[in-house]
C-alpha cells in the first residue's frame, strides 16, 4: 500500500499542541480518528514503516513510570520515519534540582520537533506549551488527562460500532485519580455518547452530575443499559487514604466477572486502559474473553499517536512558515 | 528636622472622623498639625503637594505581610518589601513570623525593627510567633516578645495546630493587650490541595482544598475566642461558611475580627484553568458564589478588613509544576487597586468604606496609632487618584517577587504619593 495522502486532513487541523480532549471539537476528534485509521491501514496494523516525518525528532520526557505509553509513542514516531530520544526523571537534571521547565528547554535546545511528556502534576504540558517553541503532546498529567489514551478508546469503539453517537458508555472505577477517565469523559460526550460514571462516592464526585454526566454507584443497576464498559484501574499510588474498606469489597461491588457478563448486552465491548489488576476490576475470563478489546486498544494506541504526531507537525510547519496556526 | 508639608486641592477622606470633603492638611514634626490651615498659619519653608483630583487618605495598614527576611532573602527582603508597601500605598505593615530563624525571641524582633528602620520604607511592625520555634507545641514567650515590640502573635500562614495551645494563648494574651492572628485551616482536610475543591479542580484533576477545612477551623477559632474573651483576628478567610460563622457570632456580640485578601474578592477558581502558579494562592481562589459572598461581607462589615496577602516567592520557585510551586504572590503593589476594582468600581463600596477596611479598621485591630488624619496623630498619608486606570506590569514592581495574578490586567485607583511621618517616601 502507498503512503496515504493526508493533506486534506492536515489543512483542517491547526493545533500545535495536544494537551487534552476537553478543548477539542467533534470535528477535530474526527480528524484525529480518521487519520489514525488511514495510518493504521497504511502501516498494515502498525507493522510497516512510512517516511512521512523523516528528519524530525520526538523527545519522550517521562517523569513518571510508563512502559506501554512510552513505547507506543516511540514506535509511532519511528513508524512515521522520525527519530526518538528518551529522557526520564531518574537520570535527568530535575533530580539535581533543576526545574521541569528548564529541563525541557534544554532538551528543546537540542533540536527536537515534539516533546511528549508525562508528569505526575496536572498542567505540566500546559507549562511546557507556554515555555517551549516546539509541539507538546500530553502523555498523561497526573489525574488530569491522557488524550491519546482517550482517542485510542474512541477509535476502538468506532471500529466496532461505526459511530459513537447514541452509545451508552460506562466508565467504572477510580474516576477521581484517572486521567484516562477525564479524557474519555470529554471525548465521548463530544462525539455524542451517553456517559455514565460509576464507582463508590469516594471515587466518583457528584459534581460530575452538575457537568451533565450520569453518576452511578451500583454497577449492577446500569450494566444492562451499557454498550461499552471501560474498567479503570484503582490507582492505589495516587490515593492519600484508601477510599473503600477493602479490595475484596471493591471487587465484589465493581469487578466485571462472568456472572455480571450474563446481565450485560450481548454485544457489549469490554475495555481497560491497562495495566489491569486482574481480579480487582476485571476477572481473567472477562479480560481474555470474546467481548474484550483490550489488546486492540494497544494496537490502536500506536495509530492515534502517529495521527497526533503527524497533524501537530503539519500545523507546526505552517506556523513556522508564517501561515495561520494556533500557538 | 523635616520641613512642614502641606497637601492641598485634594479630597480629605477619613473614616475615623467621617471626613469626606475637599480641603488641605498640614503636617509638622511628623504629625498632623492642622486641617484647612489659613494661609497665615502655613510656614514659609513648607513643602507643598498638589493633590488635585486625588483622595487624601490615612496611610494603608496591612495586617499580614511576609517579608521573608531573615532566611529567604531570595523571595523578598525587609528593604524591598517595605518599599513595595510604599508603592502600594501602605504606610504600616505587619511582618509575619515565618522566617528562618523564626521571630520568637527579643533578638529576632529587634533584627526586623532595625532593618526596617534602615530601609526607610513603610513602618514595619513585627508579628511574633505564637508557639516557640513555630513548632505548634509550646507557647512562645509572648510577654517578652511584646516587650520587644511585637504587636501581635501568630504562626500564620499555618493555623494554630493545637486547640489547647490556642485557648491558653488567648487567655494569656488578655494581660498583654495584644491580639492573636490565626489563619484558619484544618491541615488534615487540606493535605495536598493546591486549589479550591470544586467543579474546576474536578475537571483539571488538581487536588482540592475543601471549604470545610477552613469552615471547621473558623468555627474552632471563634468558639475559643468566645470562651476566653481573648482578642482574636482570623484571616485571611475565603469561604461562605466562614462568613456565615462570623455573621452569627457577631450578632451574639462576640468580639472577633476577620480579614480577606483582595484577590479573593476579584478572581474565582476559573483562573486556575491556565495552570499558572501565579494563581496559586492561600487561601485559594474560590468559586464565584464564594467571591460574591465575601464582597457582600466586606460591605456589611461581617469581614472587617482587607489585607494584601503578600506572600512573595522567587521566580525560580514559581517555575516548577503546580505541585512543587509554593503558594504565594506579590500583592502589596496591587492590593488597593484590586480592591477598588472589585468593590468600588462595581458599586459595592464607596472610597471611604474601602479606606476604612484597608486603613482605619486594620489599625484598630492591630492596636496601631494609625488609620486616621486626626490632629496630633502620626502623619501617614496615602494620596490616591481614584479614577486612574493602569495596567499591571510586574516588571515595575519594587518587590523582588513578580508573580501576580493581575499581570497585564487593567485596574483602577493609582497611588500617587505615600507619606510616612510627614515625609514623602514614594511618588508614582
Amino acid at each position: 500500500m502507498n503512503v496515504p495522502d493526508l493533506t486534506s486532513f492536515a489543512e483542517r487541523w491547526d493545533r500545535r499542541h495536544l494537551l487534552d480532549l476537553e478543548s477539542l471539537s467533534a470535528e477535530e476528534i474526527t480528524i484525529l480518528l480518521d487519520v489514525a485509521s488511514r495510518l493504521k491501514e497504511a502501516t498494515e496494523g502498525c507493522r510497516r514503516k512510512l517516511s512521512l516525518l523523516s528528519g524530525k525528532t520526538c523527545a519522550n520526557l517521562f517523569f513518571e513510570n510508563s512502559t506501554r505509553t512510552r513505547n507506543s509513542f516511540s514506535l509511532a514516531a519511528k513508524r512515521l520515519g522520525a527519530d526518538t530520544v528518551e529522557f526520564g526523571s531518574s537520570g535527568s537534571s530535575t533530580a539535581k534540582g533543576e526545574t521541569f521547565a528548564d529541563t525541557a528547554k534544554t532538551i528543546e535546545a537540542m533540536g527536537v520537533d515534539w516533546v511528549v511528556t508525562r508528569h505526575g502534576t496536572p498542567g505540566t504540558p500546559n507549562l511546557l506549551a507556554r515555555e517551549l517553541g516546539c509541539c507538546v503532546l500530553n502523555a498523561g498529567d497526573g489525574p488530569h488527562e491522557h488524550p491519546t489514551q482517550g482517542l485510542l478508546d474512541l477509535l476502538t469503539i468506532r471500529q466496532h460500532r461505526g459511530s459513537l453517537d447514541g452509545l451508552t458508555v460506562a466508565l467504572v472505577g477510580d474516576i477521581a485519580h484517572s486521567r484516562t477517565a477525564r479524557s474519555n469523559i470529554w471525548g465521548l460526550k463530544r462525539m455524542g455518547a451517553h456517559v455514565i460514571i460509576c464507582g463508590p462516592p469516594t471515587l466518583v464526585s457528584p459534581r460530575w452530575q452538575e457537568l451533565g454526566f450520569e453518576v452511578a454507584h451500583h454497577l449492577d443497576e446500569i450494566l444492562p443499559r451499557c454498550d461499552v464498559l471501560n474498567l479503570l484501574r484503582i490507582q492505589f499510588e495516587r490515593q492519600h487514604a484508601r477510599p473503600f474498606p477493602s479490595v475484596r469489597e471493591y471487587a465484589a461491588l465493581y469487578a466485571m466477572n462472568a456472572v455480571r457478563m450474563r446481565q450485560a448486552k450481548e454485544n457489549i465491548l469490554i475495555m481497560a486502559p491497562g495495566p489491569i489488576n486482574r481480579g480487582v476490576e476485571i476477572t481473567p475470563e472477562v479480560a481474555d474473553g470474546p467481548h474484550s478489546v483490550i489488546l486492540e486498544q494497544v494496537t490502536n494506541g500506536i495509530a492515534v499517536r502517529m495521527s497526533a504526531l503527524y497533524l501537530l507537525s503539519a500545523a507546526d510547519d505552517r506556523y513556522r512558515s508564517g501561515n495561520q496556526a494556533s500557538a | 528636622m523635616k520641613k512642614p508639608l502641606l497637601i492641598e486641592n485634594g479630597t480629605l477622606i477619613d473614616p475615623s472622623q467621617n471626613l469626606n470633603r475637599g480641603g488641605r492638611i498640614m503636617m509638622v514634626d511628623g504629625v498632623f498639625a492642622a486641617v484647612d490651615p489659613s494661609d497665615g498659619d502655613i510656614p514659609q519653608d513648607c513643602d507643598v503637594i498638589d493633590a488635585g483630583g486625588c483622595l487624601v487618605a490615612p496611610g494603608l495598614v496591612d495586617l499580614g505581610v511576609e517579608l521573608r527576611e531573615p532566611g529567604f532573602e531570595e523571595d523578598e527582603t525587609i528593604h524591598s518589601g517595605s518599599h513595595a508597601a510604599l508603592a502600594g500605598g501602605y504606610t504600616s505593615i505587619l511582618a509575619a513570623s515565618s522566617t528562618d530563624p523564626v521571630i520568637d525571641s527579643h533578638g529576632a524582633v529587634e533584627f526586623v525593627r532595625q532593618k526596617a528602620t534602615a530601609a526607610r520604607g513603610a513602618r514595619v511592625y513585627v508579628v511574633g510567633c505564637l508557639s516557640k520555634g513555630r513548632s505548634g507545641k509550646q507557647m512562645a514567650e509572648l510577654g517578652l516578645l511584646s516587650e520587644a515590640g511585637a504587636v501581635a502573635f501568630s504562626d500564620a500562614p499555618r493555623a494554630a495546630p493545637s486547640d489547647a495551645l490556642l485557648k491558653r494563648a488567648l487567655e494569656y494574651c488578655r494581660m498583654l493587650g495584644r491580639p492573636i492572628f490565626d489563619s484558619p485551616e484544618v491541615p488534615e482536610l487540606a493535605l495536598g490541595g493546591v486549589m479550591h475543591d470544586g467543579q474546576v479542580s474536578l475537571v483539571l484533576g488538581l487536588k482540592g482544598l475543601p471549604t470545610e477545612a477552613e469552615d471547621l477551623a473558623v468555627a474552632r477559632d471563634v468558639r475559643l475566642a468566645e470562651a476566653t474573651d481573648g482578642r482574636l483576628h482570623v484571616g485571611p478567610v475565603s469561604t461562605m461558611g466562614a462568613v456565615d460563622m462570623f455573621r452569627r457570632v457577631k450578632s451574639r456580640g462576640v468580639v472577633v475580627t476577620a480579614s480577606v485578601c483582595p484577590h479573593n474578592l476579584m478572581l474565582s477558581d476559573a483562573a486556575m484553568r491556565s495552570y499558572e502558579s501565579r494563581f496559586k494562592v492561600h487561601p485559594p481562589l474560590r468559586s464565584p458564589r464564594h467571591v460574591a459572598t465575601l464582597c457582600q461581607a466586606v460591605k456589611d462589615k461581617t469581614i472587617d478588613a482587607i489585607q494584601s496577602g503578600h506572600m512573595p516567592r522567587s521566580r525560580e520557585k514559581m517555575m516548577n509544576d503546580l505541585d512543587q510551586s509554593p503558594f504565594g504572590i506579590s500583592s502589596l503593589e496591587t492590593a488597593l487597586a484590586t480592591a477598588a476594582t472589585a468593590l468600588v468600581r462595581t458599586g459595592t463600596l464607596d472610597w471611604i468604606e474601602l479606606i476604612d477596611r484597608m486603613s482605619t479598621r486594620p489599625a484598630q485591630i492591630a492596636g496601631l496609632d494609625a488609620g486616621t488624619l486626626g490632629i496630633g496623630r502620626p502623619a501617614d498619608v496615602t494620596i490616591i487618584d481614584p479614577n486612574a486606570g493602569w495596567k499591571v506590569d510586574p516588571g515595575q514592581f519594587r518587590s523582588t517577587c513578580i508573580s501576580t495574578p493581575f499581570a497585564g490586567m487593567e485596574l483602577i485607583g493609582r497611588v500617587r504619593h505615600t507619606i510616612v511621618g510627614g515625609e514623602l517616601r514614594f511618588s508614582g
Side-chain angles (χ1 to χ4, degrees), chain A residues 28-325:
Chain A
E28 286 172 315
I29 291 172
T30 304
I31 292 171
L32 276 160
L33 299 184
D34 286 348
V35 171
S37 297
R38 302 236 174 163
L39 287 170
K40 187 179 176 185
E41 235 175 273
T43 52
E44 295 165 0
C46 303
R47 282 185 169 75
R48 195 168 152 263
K49 201 167 168 176
L50 305 174
S51 55
L52 279 168
L53 298 176
S54 56
K56 302 226 173 198
T57 306
C58 177
N60 281 333
L61 191 57
F62 276 56
F63 286 75
E64 258 194 350
N65 290 336
S66 165
T67 308
R68 65 189 71 203
T69 303
R70 179 181 207 139
N71 288 337
S72 182
F73 266 108
S74 287
L75 283 169
K78 285 170 183 161
R79 295 247 155 86
L80 292 169
D83 298 317
T84 60
V85 57
E86 304 289 327
F87 292 89
S89 55
S90 59
S92 83
S93 295
T94 54
K96 300 171 192 166
E98 190 177 47
T99 68
F100 178 63
D102 279 335
T103 300
K105 279 180 183 172
T106 305
I107 292 163
E108 184 188 31
M110 295 177 192
V112 303
D113 298 282
W114 310 270
V115 166
V116 176
T117 177
R118 168 168 289 193
H119 199 284
T121 303
T124 43
N126 305 61
L127 170 68
L128 295 184
R130 279 197 303 273
E131 296 281 342
L132 306 184
C134 65
C135 304
V136 176
L137 286 99
N138 180 8
D141 57 335
H144 175 222
E145 282 221 34
H146 190 356
T148 54
Q149 178 69 44
L151 289 167
L152 73 88
D153 290 343
L154 298 182
L155 182 63
T156 307
I157 299 171
R158 197 176 80 162
Q159 279 173 353
H160 280 267
R161 294 296 158 85
S163 163
L164 293 136
D165 194 24
L167 294 180
T168 295
V169 182
L171 304 167
V172 182
D174 190 352
I175 309 299
H177 303 96
S178 174
R179 48 192 168 219
T180 296
R182 280 174 181 74
S183 285
N184 265 269
I185 280 166
W186 299 116
L188 288 163
K189 184 180 185 186
R190 204 73 81 226
M191 299 306 286
H194 174 71
V195 182
I196 306 175
I197 304 172
C198 179
T202 44
L203 293 175
V204 176
S205 168
R207 291 195 178 106
W208 285 114
Q209 262 169 326
E210 299 161 21
L211 290 164
F213 298 93
E214 183 179 343
V215 167
H217 301 305
H218 302 285
L219 176 58
D220 293 319
E221 288 177 7
I222 60 157
L223 185 54
R225 289 193 279 135
C226 293
D227 298 296
V228 181
L229 273 192
N230 201 341
L231 302 161
L232 305 171
R233 184 173 66 88
I234 300 298
Q235 305 207 24
F236 295 106
E237 72 277 12
R238 289 188 193 282
Q239 296 164 1
H240 289 296
R242 185 169 280 195
F244 42 79
S246 69
V247 171
R248 199 167 76 103
E249 176 162 312
Y250 180 86
L253 297 175
Y254 296 104
M256 198 58 196
N257 53 32
V259 175
R260 286 206 166 94
M261 281 304 287
R262 289 198 284 274
Q263 301 170 45
K265 284 187 178 177
E266 240 174 60
N267 59 350
I268 191 168
L269 290 183
I270 301 293
M271 307 176 77
I276 57 173
N277 296 326
R278 284 175 185 263
V280 181
E281 302 98 23
I282 188 166
T283 56
E285 66 271 28
V286 179
D288 304 326
H291 296 274
S292 168
V293 292
I294 294 171
L295 294 178
E296 279 178 59
Q297 290 173 263
V298 178
T299 307
N300 285 336
I302 298 177
V304 298
R305 283 161 189 139
M306 283 195 285
S307 169
L309 289 168
Y310 170 78
L311 289 167
L312 298 188
S313 181
D316 190 48
D317 288 345
R318 283 209 309 282
Y319 176 75
R320 288 178 193 284
S321 64
N323 288 330
Q324 293 294 312

Side-chain angles (χ1 to χ4, degrees), chain B residues 258-280:
Chain B
S259 57
V260 65
C261 294
H263 37 270
N264 290 101
L265 300 169
M266 178 133 170
L267 300 173
S268 76
D269 58 344
M272 285 296 284
R273 280 198 154 272
S274 69
Y275 286 109
E276 290 180 67
S277 57
R278 66 194 179 98
F279 297 106
K280 187 179 172 184

